[in-house]
Amino acid sequence: MGRELQRCLGSITNEQRKVYDVVMDVISNDRGGMFFLYGHGGTGKMFLWKTLSLQFVPRERLTTHSQFELPINVHESSTWSISQQSPQTELLIRAKLIIWDEAPMMCIYCFEALDKIMKSILRGDKLFGGKVVVLGGDFRQILPVLLKASRQDIVHATINSSPMWNFCRVMKLTKNMRLESCSSPSNVDEVKEFEDWILKVGNEDVGEQNNGKASIEIPDDMLIGDSEDPFRDLLEFVYSDLLSNMYDPDYFQGRAILAPTNECVECVNNHLMYLLPGEKKVYMSSDSMCRDEQTVEDNAEIYSTEFLNTIRCS
């Protein structure tokens, strides 16, 4: 781990190093605190999480739900199902750092519930019981998913609407490491232009029509006609000579079909899968109702896996 840490520190950027030093200083001096690392995809948040975790004995878990036993459907009075004598409690007491990625996707009640349980376990009034908690994510991506909620309800359910946000220090990463790592001296300008365009899309600042690309509108009668495969002509036009260009990235980068519903997407996928050579493999998902305190056992029997697989969302 020591050698891996030195390797990571050797390739860390100035932006990432600044964040690393701030977090490590707070941990070393046992001051506690809440931080939010704000950066769009490709800025190296995961690399920074890895570098920070190499300072300690890492304990990786897939989700906050499995780590903290958080209920799937949270509400204002939700609590974490952790016993005072459990291994999870001992882990939280000994923990030096809690890293919570993709935090903008989580409901505000998740963080407030963790704050309550940490204060209870550590018997203190400091935020998160005085532990160092580093959140990460991008507010331009997916926000909490709330059933039949309005835009205002969703905004109010995000972490930056919580009173805790007043005590949070926001740090930013702006350099797109993912794009730069795959760029060459010949396409630096193209990569930089693409990076700026991605940010404009996220900020809703893009005003060009189709970005200078040609587009084809599908007539309504083509979507509701009697043809078994209404997209055949369109697909053959957009993806002409598909088999001879399958391994050319530029071929796919210059083509796209915007489909308004999952039904249209399925038609496109089925047709393209039919054209591709080789044996098709189908990987089934695990479809079942969420088991929680609000789920009645009878409902779980009614909504079987077979029934759930027949649902086609708009």
Short mmCIF file of all heavy atoms in Angstrom, two decimals, residues 221-236 263-272 274:
data_model
loop_
_atom_site.label_atom_id
_atom_site.label_comp_id
_atom_site.label_asym_id
_atom_site.label_seq_id
_atom_site.Cartn_x
_atom_site.Cartn_y
_atom_site.Cartn_z
N ASP A 221 -46.19 8.93 -39.13
CA ASP A 221 -46.78 7.72 -39.71
C ASP A 221 -45.77 6.57 -39.78
O ASP A 221 -46.13 5.41 -39.88
CB ASP A 221 -47.34 8.00 -41.11
CG ASP A 221 -46.27 8.58 -42.04
OD1 ASP A 221 -45.14 8.82 -41.57
OD2 ASP A 221 -46.57 8.78 -43.23
N MET A 222 -44.49 6.92 -39.70
CA MET A 222 -43.47 5.88 -39.70
C MET A 222 -43.44 5.16 -38.36
O MET A 222 -43.08 3.99 -38.27
CB MET A 222 -42.10 6.49 -39.99
CG MET A 222 -40.99 5.49 -40.23
SD MET A 222 -39.46 6.29 -40.72
CE MET A 222 -38.42 4.86 -40.98
N LEU A 223 -43.84 5.87 -37.29
CA LEU A 223 -43.82 5.27 -35.95
C LEU A 223 -45.07 4.42 -35.69
O LEU A 223 -45.03 3.50 -34.89
CB LEU A 223 -43.74 6.38 -34.89
CG LEU A 223 -42.47 7.22 -34.89
CD1 LEU A 223 -42.57 8.31 -33.83
CD2 LEU A 223 -41.26 6.35 -34.60
N ILE A 224 -46.18 4.76 -36.37
CA ILE A 224 -47.43 4.06 -36.07
C ILE A 224 -47.93 3.25 -37.27
O ILE A 224 -49.07 2.84 -37.32
CB ILE A 224 -48.52 5.06 -35.66
CG1 ILE A 224 -48.76 6.09 -36.78
CG2 ILE A 224 -48.15 5.77 -34.38
CD1 ILE A 224 -49.88 7.07 -36.46
N GLY A 225 -47.04 3.00 -38.22
CA GLY A 225 -47.45 2.27 -39.42
C GLY A 225 -47.62 0.78 -39.17
O GLY A 225 -47.45 0.28 -38.05
N ASP A 226 -47.94 0.04 -40.22
CA ASP A 226 -48.20 -1.38 -40.10
C ASP A 226 -46.93 -2.23 -40.21
O ASP A 226 -46.97 -3.44 -40.02
CB ASP A 226 -49.18 -1.84 -41.20
CG ASP A 226 -50.54 -1.16 -41.03
OD1 ASP A 226 -50.89 -0.86 -39.86
OD2 ASP A 226 -51.23 -0.96 -42.04
N SER A 227 -45.80 -1.58 -40.54
CA SER A 227 -44.57 -2.33 -40.71
C SER A 227 -44.13 -2.97 -39.40
O SER A 227 -44.24 -2.38 -38.34
CB SER A 227 -43.46 -1.40 -41.23
OG SER A 227 -42.22 -2.08 -41.26
N GLU A 228 -43.63 -4.21 -39.48
CA GLU A 228 -43.15 -4.88 -38.28
C GLU A 228 -41.85 -4.26 -37.79
O GLU A 228 -41.50 -4.40 -36.62
CB GLU A 228 -42.94 -6.37 -38.57
CG GLU A 228 -44.23 -7.11 -38.89
CD GLU A 228 -43.97 -8.57 -39.13
OE1 GLU A 228 -42.78 -8.98 -39.07
OE2 GLU A 228 -44.94 -9.31 -39.38
N ASP A 229 -41.12 -3.63 -38.67
CA ASP A 229 -39.84 -3.00 -38.31
C ASP A 229 -39.81 -1.60 -38.88
O ASP A 229 -39.23 -1.36 -39.94
CB ASP A 229 -38.68 -3.83 -38.85
CG ASP A 229 -37.36 -3.45 -38.18
OD1 ASP A 229 -37.34 -2.40 -37.50
OD2 ASP A 229 -36.37 -4.18 -38.32
N PRO A 230 -40.46 -0.60 -38.22
CA PRO A 230 -40.60 0.73 -38.79
C PRO A 230 -39.29 1.48 -38.94
O PRO A 230 -39.22 2.47 -39.68
CB PRO A 230 -41.52 1.44 -37.78
CG PRO A 230 -41.31 0.71 -36.50
CD PRO A 230 -41.07 -0.72 -36.89
N PHE A 231 -38.24 1.03 -38.28
CA PHE A 231 -36.97 1.76 -38.34
C PHE A 231 -36.00 1.16 -39.36
O PHE A 231 -34.85 1.59 -39.43
CB PHE A 231 -36.31 1.75 -36.96
CG PHE A 231 -37.06 2.54 -35.93
CD1 PHE A 231 -37.77 1.90 -34.94
CD2 PHE A 231 -37.04 3.92 -35.94
CE1 PHE A 231 -38.46 2.62 -33.98
CE2 PHE A 231 -37.72 4.65 -35.00
CZ PHE A 231 -38.44 4.01 -34.02
N ARG A 232 -36.44 0.17 -40.12
CA ARG A 232 -35.51 -0.52 -41.01
C ARG A 232 -34.83 0.45 -41.98
O ARG A 232 -33.59 0.48 -42.09
CB ARG A 232 -36.22 -1.62 -41.78
CG ARG A 232 -35.30 -2.42 -42.70
CD ARG A 232 -36.09 -3.46 -43.47
NE ARG A 232 -36.73 -4.40 -42.58
CZ ARG A 232 -36.14 -5.47 -42.09
NH1 ARG A 232 -34.86 -5.71 -42.39
NH2 ARG A 232 -36.78 -6.30 -41.30
N ASP A 233 -35.62 1.25 -42.70
CA ASP A 233 -35.04 2.17 -43.68
C ASP A 233 -34.14 3.19 -43.01
O ASP A 233 -33.06 3.51 -43.53
CB ASP A 233 -36.16 2.88 -44.45
CG ASP A 233 -36.96 1.92 -45.31
OD1 ASP A 233 -36.40 0.84 -45.63
OD2 ASP A 233 -38.10 2.25 -45.64
N LEU A 234 -34.59 3.71 -41.87
CA LEU A 234 -33.78 4.70 -41.17
C LEU A 234 -32.46 4.10 -40.70
O LEU A 234 -31.39 4.70 -40.84
CB LEU A 234 -34.56 5.25 -39.98
CG LEU A 234 -33.81 6.25 -39.08
CD1 LEU A 234 -33.52 7.52 -39.85
CD2 LEU A 234 -34.61 6.54 -37.83
N LEU A 235 -32.52 2.91 -40.12
CA LEU A 235 -31.31 2.26 -39.62
C LEU A 235 -30.33 1.95 -40.74
O LEU A 235 -29.12 2.14 -40.60
CB LEU A 235 -31.69 0.99 -38.87
CG LEU A 235 -32.33 1.17 -37.50
CD1 LEU A 235 -32.97 -0.13 -37.03
CD2 LEU A 235 -31.31 1.64 -36.49
N GLU A 236 -30.87 1.46 -41.84
CA GLU A 236 -29.99 1.13 -42.96
C GLU A 236 -29.35 2.38 -43.55
O GLU A 236 -28.26 2.31 -44.11
CB GLU A 236 -30.77 0.36 -44.03
CG GLU A 236 -31.19 -1.03 -43.57
CD GLU A 236 -31.98 -1.78 -44.62
OE1 GLU A 236 -32.31 -1.15 -45.66
OE2 GLU A 236 -32.28 -2.97 -44.40
N GLU A 263 -39.73 1.78 -26.20
CA GLU A 263 -40.22 0.90 -27.27
C GLU A 263 -39.44 1.15 -28.56
O GLU A 263 -39.08 0.21 -29.27
CB GLU A 263 -41.72 1.13 -27.49
CG GLU A 263 -42.33 0.18 -28.51
CD GLU A 263 -43.81 0.42 -28.68
OE1 GLU A 263 -44.34 1.38 -28.07
OE2 GLU A 263 -44.45 -0.34 -29.42
N CYS A 264 -39.18 2.43 -28.85
CA CYS A 264 -38.39 2.77 -30.04
C CYS A 264 -36.95 2.27 -29.89
O CYS A 264 -36.36 1.75 -30.84
CB CYS A 264 -38.38 4.28 -30.26
SG CYS A 264 -40.01 5.00 -30.56
N VAL A 265 -36.41 2.43 -28.70
CA VAL A 265 -35.05 1.96 -28.44
C VAL A 265 -34.95 0.46 -28.66
O VAL A 265 -33.99 -0.06 -29.23
CB VAL A 265 -34.62 2.32 -26.99
CG1 VAL A 265 -33.27 1.69 -26.66
CG2 VAL A 265 -34.55 3.83 -26.82
N GLU A 266 -35.97 -0.26 -28.22
CA GLU A 266 -35.97 -1.72 -28.36
C GLU A 266 -36.00 -2.12 -29.84
O GLU A 266 -35.35 -3.09 -30.24
CB GLU A 266 -37.16 -2.31 -27.61
CG GLU A 266 -37.06 -3.80 -27.41
CD GLU A 266 -38.07 -4.32 -26.41
OE1 GLU A 266 -38.74 -3.50 -25.76
OE2 GLU A 266 -38.19 -5.55 -26.29
N CYS A 267 -36.77 -1.37 -30.64
CA CYS A 267 -36.81 -1.66 -32.08
C CYS A 267 -35.43 -1.47 -32.71
O CYS A 267 -34.98 -2.29 -33.51
CB CYS A 267 -37.83 -0.77 -32.77
SG CYS A 267 -39.55 -1.15 -32.38
N VAL A 268 -34.77 -0.38 -32.35
CA VAL A 268 -33.44 -0.09 -32.89
C VAL A 268 -32.47 -1.18 -32.46
O VAL A 268 -31.71 -1.72 -33.28
CB VAL A 268 -32.96 1.29 -32.41
CG1 VAL A 268 -31.51 1.52 -32.83
CG2 VAL A 268 -33.84 2.40 -32.97
N ASN A 269 -32.48 -1.51 -31.18
CA ASN A 269 -31.55 -2.52 -30.66
C ASN A 269 -31.77 -3.88 -31.32
O ASN A 269 -30.82 -4.57 -31.69
CB ASN A 269 -31.69 -2.64 -29.15
CG ASN A 269 -31.09 -1.46 -28.41
OD1 ASN A 269 -30.31 -0.70 -28.99
ND2 ASN A 269 -31.46 -1.29 -27.17
N ASN A 270 -33.04 -4.27 -31.46
CA ASN A 270 -33.35 -5.58 -32.04
C ASN A 270 -32.85 -5.68 -33.48
O ASN A 270 -32.31 -6.70 -33.90
CB ASN A 270 -34.85 -5.85 -31.98
CG ASN A 270 -35.33 -6.12 -30.57
OD1 ASN A 270 -34.54 -6.47 -29.69
ND2 ASN A 270 -36.61 -5.96 -30.35
N HIS A 271 -33.03 -4.59 -34.22
CA HIS A 271 -32.61 -4.61 -35.62
C HIS A 271 -31.09 -4.68 -35.73
O HIS A 271 -30.55 -5.46 -36.53
CB HIS A 271 -33.14 -3.38 -36.36
CG HIS A 271 -32.83 -3.38 -37.82
ND1 HIS A 271 -33.51 -4.18 -38.72
CD2 HIS A 271 -31.91 -2.70 -38.54
CE1 HIS A 271 -33.02 -3.99 -39.94
NE2 HIS A 271 -32.04 -3.09 -39.85
N LEU A 272 -30.40 -3.87 -34.94
CA LEU A 272 -28.94 -3.87 -35.00
C LEU A 272 -28.37 -5.19 -34.50
O LEU A 272 -27.38 -5.70 -35.04
CB LEU A 272 -28.37 -2.71 -34.18
CG LEU A 272 -28.58 -1.32 -34.78
CD1 LEU A 272 -27.99 -0.25 -33.89
CD2 LEU A 272 -27.96 -1.23 -36.16
N TYR A 274 -29.75 -8.01 -34.83
CA TYR A 274 -30.00 -8.98 -35.90
C TYR A 274 -28.90 -8.90 -36.96
O TYR A 274 -28.51 -9.91 -37.55
CB TYR A 274 -31.37 -8.71 -36.52
CG TYR A 274 -31.68 -9.56 -37.72
CD1 TYR A 274 -32.07 -10.89 -37.58
CD2 TYR A 274 -31.58 -9.03 -39.01
CE1 TYR A 274 -32.34 -11.67 -38.70
CE2 TYR A 274 -31.85 -9.80 -40.12
CZ TYR A 274 -32.22 -11.12 -39.97
OH TYR A 274 -32.49 -11.90 -41.07
#
